[in-house]
């Protein structure tokens, strides 16, 4: 028996400790039986010291200097593993081949770590759990199900399809927001140029008139003067406020609040809600179809939800299900699921076809999201036109009203 130190992820956060086991793989199995996800398992005591006293390890680049492994890389890795498994290639040979052909140095190192762990008797899912930034909890739990059921080839195919859907959704969102973002940026630049360069040129002329200026002109001149005198301070304040806002929405306290507000925003809210529900239904269906128990499926799906508030509600669902409530009743209590999802859950529980019905709901929502994203620019365009029209009206009134007043006075004289 050897002694190991471990770090594992539990329902309430990470757990650290030491334990004796026959091997790292045996310890990983024991932790999994307790409902923990092993993240790091290392020898403790003299064995660890002996390992560290050998030849000097190569200098490792800092994490921030290493290229990131993108979701696209993980999706291609899943597809390639499925193809190799389908062709009958053993897992160690498959990983060795993928390591040789990998273009990303970080991914190459991860594949090498996976090979070493497998050679040491550790399961693939446990080895992947030691790289949580690349393989999330849902991915690891699905691989673990594939190992226990002997359907690892099928699991990697489903994971590849799931990640392909996720990437497609992100690309659709980016393409839909590209035009509105460009228009907003152009408007901001135009307003800055007008305030700093155009209005000051007219200000001298207006002051020379010696007449009472209209209210729009006074507002423009005051805004321009404030921008010129306190422009840098204003810019620093905006940047600081943006950084604080970013930090707050990424914090454990602020992220659920922001994500909940995001679900209720006009125009954007319905798209985010349906996209999150499409992701939830497809991932939940995939877990149940692969044989994952209901409780573990909800834990894994909660980790895939790209919304902290929705993650909290899924965890609440799991707690209610563990108390004996039906899945549909637990989902209805969260208040985030649409009547269609609730109806499908209820029918699925009665017929034993929850996975199939949820998959159909996921397809419907994904198609709906695609349509909403395609029409997003058309929905935002009227708002931008009204805003630009109001801006042009204020500028026109501020610049031309004094001239009209001056022209009218000249005609009277």
């Amino acid at each position: 028996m050897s002694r190991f130190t471990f770090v594992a992820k539990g329902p309430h956060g990470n757990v650290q400790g030491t334990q004796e086991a026959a091997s790292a793989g045996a310890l990983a199995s024991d932790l999994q039986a307790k409902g923990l996800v092993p993240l790091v398992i290392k020898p403790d005591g003299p064995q660890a010291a002996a390992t560290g006293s050998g030849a000097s390890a190569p200098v490792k680049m800092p994490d921030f200097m290493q290229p990131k492994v993108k979701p696209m890389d993980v999706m291609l890795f899943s597809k390639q593993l499925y193809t190799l498994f389908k062709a009958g290639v053993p897992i160690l040979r498959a990983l060795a081949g993928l390591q040789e052909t990998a273009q990303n140095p970080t991914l190459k190192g991860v594949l090498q770590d996976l090979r070493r762990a497998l050679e040491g008797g550790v399961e693939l899912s446990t080895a992947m759990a030691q790289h949580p930034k690349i393989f999330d909890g849902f991915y690891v739990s699905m691989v673990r199900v594939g190992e226990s059921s002997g359907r690892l080839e099928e699991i990697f195919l489903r994971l590849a399809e799931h990640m392909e859907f996720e990437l497609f959704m992100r690309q659709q969102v980016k393409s839909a927001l590209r035009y509105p973002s460009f228009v907003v940026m152009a408007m901001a630049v135009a307003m800055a140029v007008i305030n700093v360069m155009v209005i000051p040129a007219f200000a001298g002329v207006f002051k020379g008139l010696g007449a009472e200026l209209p209210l729009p002109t006074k507002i423009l001149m005051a805004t321009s003067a404030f921008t010129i005198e306190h422009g840098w301070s204003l810019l620093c304040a905006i940047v600081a406020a943006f950084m604080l806002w970013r930090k707050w929405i990424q914090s454990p306290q602020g992220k659920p609040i922001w994500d909940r507000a995001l679900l209720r925003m006009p125009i954007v809210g319905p798209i985010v809600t349906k996209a999150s529900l499409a992701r939830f239904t497809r991932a939940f269906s995939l877990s149940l179809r692969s044989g994952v128990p209901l409780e573990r499926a909800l834990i894994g799906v909660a980790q895939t939800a790209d919304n902290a508030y929705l993650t909290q509600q899924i965890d609440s669902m799991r707690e209610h299900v563990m108390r004996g409530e039906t899945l549909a009743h637990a989902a209805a209590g969260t208040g985030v699921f649409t009547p269609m999802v609730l109806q499908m859950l209820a029918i699925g529980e009665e017929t034993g076809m929850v996975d199939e019905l949820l998959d159909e709901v996921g397809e419907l929502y994904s198609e709906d999201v695609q349509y909403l994203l395609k029409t997003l620019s058309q929905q935002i365009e009227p708002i931008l036109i009204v805003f630009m029209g109001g801006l042009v009206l204020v500028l026109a009134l501020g610049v031309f009203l004094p001239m009209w007043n001056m022209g009218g006075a000249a005609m009277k004289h």
Side-chain angles (χ1 to χ4, degrees):
M1 299 287 285
S2 302
R3 193 170 185 83
F4 297 90
T5 61
F6 67 87
V7 179
K9 185 174 183 180
H12 305 290
N14 290 348
V15 179
Q16 300 181 1
T18 58
Q19 184 174 327
E20 291 187 351
S23 63
L27 175 57
S29 301
D30 186 35
L31 293 174
Q32 293 168 13
K34 297 177 181 177
L36 302 174
V37 178
L39 299 178
V40 179
I41 298 178
K42 296 181 179 179
D44 188 30
Q47 184 178 356
T51 303
S53 61
S56 59
V59 178
K60 186 179 179 181
M61 294 175 59
D63 291 341
F64 68 90
M65 295 181 62
Q66 296 182 359
K68 292 184 178 180
V69 179
K70 300 179 180 178
M72 177 68 74
D73 298 327
V74 182
M75 184 198 71
L76 293 175
F77 164 75
S78 305
K79 280 190 173 182
Q80 291 168 341
L81 264 187
Y82 160 72
T83 304
L84 292 171
F85 286 162
K86 188 177 180 181
V89 180
I91 185 170
L92 285 174
R93 282 183 54 193
L95 291 175
L98 293 178
Q99 179 185 346
E100 293 177 0
T101 58
Q103 301 295 324
N104 190 314
T106 305
L107 181 59
K108 190 185 291 286
V110 169
L111 294 178
Q112 184 177 4
D113 291 344
L114 295 181
R115 286 180 55 204
R116 289 176 177 173
L118 290 173
E119 291 170 353
V122 179
E123 294 180 340
L124 179 61
S125 59
T126 304
M128 287 180 168
Q130 298 182 21
H131 301 277
K133 293 183 179 180
I134 300 174
F135 306 107
D136 57 23
F138 177 74
Y139 196 102
V140 172
S141 64
M142 293 301 299
V143 173
R144 184 173 296 117
V145 169
E147 290 173 330
S148 59
S149 62
R151 298 190 298 176
L152 202 56
E153 172 188 330
E154 180 184 354
I155 290 297
F156 276 111
L157 174 61
R158 292 181 179 178
L159 283 172
E161 293 174 347
H162 176 72
M163 297 191 71
E164 190 173 9
F165 166 76
E166 294 281 317
L167 289 171
F168 174 76
M169 295 286 288
R170 289 190 178 97
Q171 291 171 357
Q172 289 288 314
V173 172
K174 289 181 180 179
S175 62
L177 294 178
R178 188 175 295 119
Y179 169 72
S181 301
F182 175 77
V183 172
V184 171
M185 290 175 60
M187 290 172 59
V189 172
M191 291 176 63
V193 171
I194 290 172
N195 268 320
V196 175
M197 301 179 64
V198 178
I199 301 300
F202 282 96
V205 177
F206 294 154
K207 288 180 180 178
L209 296 177
E212 181 70 17
L213 296 177
L215 180 61
T217 307
K218 291 181 178 179
I219 294 175
L220 287 179
M221 293 178 63
T223 304
S224 176
F226 180 82
T227 303
I228 293 173
E229 293 177 7
H230 307 284
W232 288 111
S233 301
L234 182 63
L235 181 61
C236 292
I238 293 174
V239 172
F242 177 76
M243 297 298 293
L244 290 173
W245 173 76
R246 284 286 302 271
K247 186 176 181 180
W248 178 72
I249 65 173
Q250 292 175 357
S251 66
Q253 297 80 18
K255 187 170 177 55
I257 299 174
W258 168 252
D259 286 345
R260 183 179 184 181
L262 193 62
L263 296 176
R264 300 180 178 181
M265 286 184 181
I267 300 178
V268 178
I271 299 177
V272 175
T273 301
K274 291 184 178 181
S276 300
L277 290 178
R279 186 179 295 112
F280 164 77
T281 52
R282 288 174 67 98
F284 198 20
S285 171
L286 175 59
S287 301
L288 296 177
R289 188 182 303 173
S290 302
V292 182
L294 181 60
E295 181 185 350
R296 285 182 56 190
L298 288 172
I299 294 175
V301 170
Q303 295 173 348
T304 64
D306 197 16
N307 188 289
Y309 177 70
L310 187 58
T311 298
Q312 290 181 346
Q313 301 308 309
I314 296 174
D315 287 335
S316 174
M317 280 177 56
R318 179 178 57 83
E319 294 175 359
H320 284 81
V321 169
M322 291 176 62
R323 295 173 190 166
E325 296 185 18
T326 63
L327 185 61
H329 188 269
T334 62
V336 297
F337 298 102
T338 61
M340 180 185 293
V341 176
L342 298 177
Q343 184 178 8
M344 288 298 186
L345 286 174
I347 296 174
E349 286 183 307
E350 293 177 2
T351 60
M353 300 170 60
V354 176
D355 55 343
E356 297 180 14
L357 293 176
L358 285 179
D359 196 40
E360 293 180 6
V361 173
E363 290 292 336
L364 289 174
Y365 275 135
S366 61
E367 293 175 1
D368 199 7
V369 169
Q370 292 178 40
Y371 172 76
L372 290 174
L373 289 173
K374 289 179 181 177
T375 60
L376 179 60
S377 298
Q378 301 174 7
Q379 298 178 52
I380 296 178
E381 189 171 345
I383 300 175
L384 295 177
I385 291 174
V386 170
F387 184 75
M388 290 180 65
L391 179 63
V392 171
L393 178 62
V394 172
L395 291 174
L397 291 176
V399 172
F400 292 112
L401 270 180
M403 296 183 179
W404 290 336
N405 294 340
M406 182 175 63
M411 290 179 66
K412 291 178 181 180
H413 292 289

